[in-house]
Amino acid sequence: MADTTPNATPSVAYQNWAARQGRARRKVIVGRLLLLLGFLALWEYAPRNGMVNPMLTSYPSAVWDGFWDLIAQGKLGLHIGVTLMEVMISFAIAMILGTVIAICLWLSPMLERVLDPFLVVLNALPKIALVPIFYIWLGPTGSIYAVAIAVALFITILMLYTGFNQSDPNKIKLAKTLGAGQVQILTKVILPGNVHTFMATLKANVGLSLVGVIVGEFQASKAGLGYLIVYGSQIFRMDMVMAAIVILSLISVGIYLVVQKAEALLTR
């Protein structure tokens, strides 16, 4: 029997395009690495040659030594674990609560009209101003979660509600024509049509939840990376402070990559 499988060999034009795309990606990666290495080299050179005070800025080799010093003390894992737990719990609560409130606002235009100015004001309010109040009300541990949730919650509500309102009106009209109710439109049109809005909100909340947790730890915590930053600054151990900041950066990148991978899977 003759082979009827179509020829799957890419065309020359496609191969050239793929090669150009590959070269562009490699250039971007090389550019990022060069920028990072240049920054680290300048950071190492300037304090060692008296251009800046090393007590105020530290330098990469000292930060590396400080990182291993924290590991040798046996408490770095505890501090990272505490911060990660606080971030994940705050992140989950802000997303779930924000989604529920955004859905309620979409289902009830009257409720949205009543709450809209309050949501705008609360979103614009500097959340750091609430830290002492949360500390008095909720104590040292509860205040950390409260600040992190407050930082992420209102932007979650506004982003999701805006996305719901910008859904394709033709699809909504078609669903109504076919006899769909509000709940059916929500579950069959609005929510599936706003997957990208959900993912954008998740990406934004990763950083916001981490910021809220660190701000809360500055005020009240006895463990966590925010505590390490405050403690290191109090004893003028900038290597400890910078090591904690580097770890926070790596945590942010790690969580962001997880969300990005989830977005790719959902989109597919």
Side-chain angles (χ1 to χ4, degrees):
M1 183 176 179
D3 185 7
T4 58
T5 303
N7 185 10
T9 303
S11 66
V12 175
Y14 175 80
Q15 291 177 355
N16 292 335
W17 175 83
R20 289 195 300 272
Q21 293 296 108
R23 288 193 296 268
R25 284 193 296 269
R26 288 191 292 271
K27 287 180 180 179
V28 170
I29 294 173
V30 170
R32 290 172 178 173
L33 289 175
L34 290 176
L35 183 61
L36 177 61
L37 292 175
F39 169 76
L40 292 176
L42 179 61
W43 184 13
E44 182 79 20
Y45 176 82
R48 284 185 176 275
N49 289 273
M51 297 172 65
V52 294
N53 189 343
M55 183 177 290
L56 300 179
T57 63
S58 190
Y59 43 90
S61 58
V63 172
W64 181 254
D65 293 338
F67 174 76
W68 284 108
D69 185 42
L70 289 172
I71 293 178
Q73 293 175 14
K75 295 184 178 180
L76 182 59
L78 170 66
H79 293 301
I80 294 175
V82 167
T83 297
L84 274 177
M85 181 186 68
E86 292 167 347
V87 169
M88 297 311 297
I89 292 176
S90 304
F91 177 76
I93 293 175
M95 279 302 303
I96 293 171
L97 188 58
T99 302
V100 171
I101 294 175
I103 289 174
C104 292
L105 294 175
W106 185 83
L107 290 173
S108 175
M110 178 59 69
L111 180 63
E112 187 273 333
R113 292 175 63 185
V114 172
L115 296 182
D116 180 67
F118 299 101
L119 292 174
V120 172
V121 171
L122 289 172
N123 182 57
L125 180 69
K127 308 305 183 296
I128 193 172
L130 302 175
V131 174
I133 299 174
F134 286 145
Y135 182 80
I136 294 171
W137 289 353
L138 304 173
T141 302
S143 63
I144 296 173
Y145 292 102
V147 173
I149 293 170
V151 168
L153 176 62
F154 300 106
I155 191 64
T156 300
I157 297 171
L158 293 176
M159 287 182 68
L160 290 179
Y161 180 69
T162 301
F164 294 167
N165 276 344
Q166 292 177 349
S167 299
D168 190 343
N170 292 323
K171 292 181 179 180
I172 297 175
K173 187 180 297 185
L174 176 61
K176 289 181 178 179
T177 302
L178 296 174
Q182 281 288 88
V183 175
Q184 289 176 311
I185 294 173
L186 175 69
T187 56
K188 303 297 184 182
V189 179
I190 301 299
L191 295 181
N194 280 277
V195 171
H196 290 292
T197 304
F198 276 105
M199 301 315 300
T201 306
L202 284 173
K203 290 178 181 179
N205 276 356
V206 168
L208 292 175
S209 298
L210 190 55
V211 168
V213 165
I214 296 303
V215 168
E217 288 181 348
F218 283 170
Q219 173 72 22
S221 180
K222 297 186 182 299
L225 295 174
Y227 165 79
L228 277 183
I229 293 173
V230 172
Y231 177 70
S233 64
Q234 290 174 342
I235 61 174
F236 290 95
R237 283 285 306 277
M238 291 304 296
D239 58 335
M240 181 185 296
V241 173
M242 293 298 182
I245 292 174
V246 170
I247 295 170
L248 282 173
S249 301
L250 295 176
I251 290 174
S252 300
V253 171
I255 298 176
Y256 180 85
L257 290 177
V258 170
V259 174
Q260 195 172 44
K261 183 65 175 179
E263 180 183 19
L265 293 174
L266 286 174
T267 302
R268 186 177 302 120

